[in-house]
């Protein structure tokens, strides 16, 4: 089934993104214990978890804040 035009407008808002489940510090490695999912999704959706697990972050990220593409290397 294809999403309707009104559903397409809201997909980013309804999709869950990846956020820090605790305060994260520069150089820390992302794993399933220090991230969780919340709305909205920006750069990463919950489907991207395998993509970011094992990557280091390049800045401090406070608990509850979205993890963005610019935050990992």
């Amino acid at each position: 089934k294809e999403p309707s035009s009104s559903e397409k407008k809201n997909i980013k808002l309804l999709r869950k993104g990846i956020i820090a489940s605790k305060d994260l510090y520069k150089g820390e490695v992302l794993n399933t214990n220090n991230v969780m999912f919340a709305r909205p999704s920006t750069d990463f959706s919950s489907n991207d978890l395998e993509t970011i697990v094992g990557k280091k972050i390049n800045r401090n990220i406070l608990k509850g804040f979205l993890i963005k593409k610019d935050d990992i290397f």
Side-chain angles (χ1 to χ4, degrees):
K1 174 186 174 232
E2 273 294 308
S4 69
S5 60
S6 62
E7 290 173 325
K8 287 180 183 179
K9 293 177 189 175
N10 294 319
I11 282 178
K12 280 251 187 205
L13 295 174
L14 298 175
R15 194 168 282 155
K16 289 186 177 185
I18 300 175
I19 67 169
S21 63
K22 64 180 192 100
D23 290 345
L24 302 175
Y25 301 98
K26 183 178 180 175
E28 195 166 342
V29 177
L30 296 173
N31 60 58
T32 56
N33 296 318
N34 60 17
V35 299
M36 61 186 190
F37 309 113
R39 288 187 176 104
S41 170
T42 54
D43 292 345
F44 295 108
S45 74
S46 57
N47 296 334
D48 297 320
L49 181 62
E50 289 181 15
T51 304
I52 69 161
V53 166
K55 305 276 184 170
K56 288 185 179 182
I57 58 170
N58 59 20
R59 70 174 184 96
N60 295 339
I61 303 171
L62 296 175
K63 178 181 178 178
F65 279 75
L66 283 165
I67 297 171
K68 300 177 184 173
K69 288 182 180 178
D70 293 343
D71 296 337
I72 63 171
F73 59 95

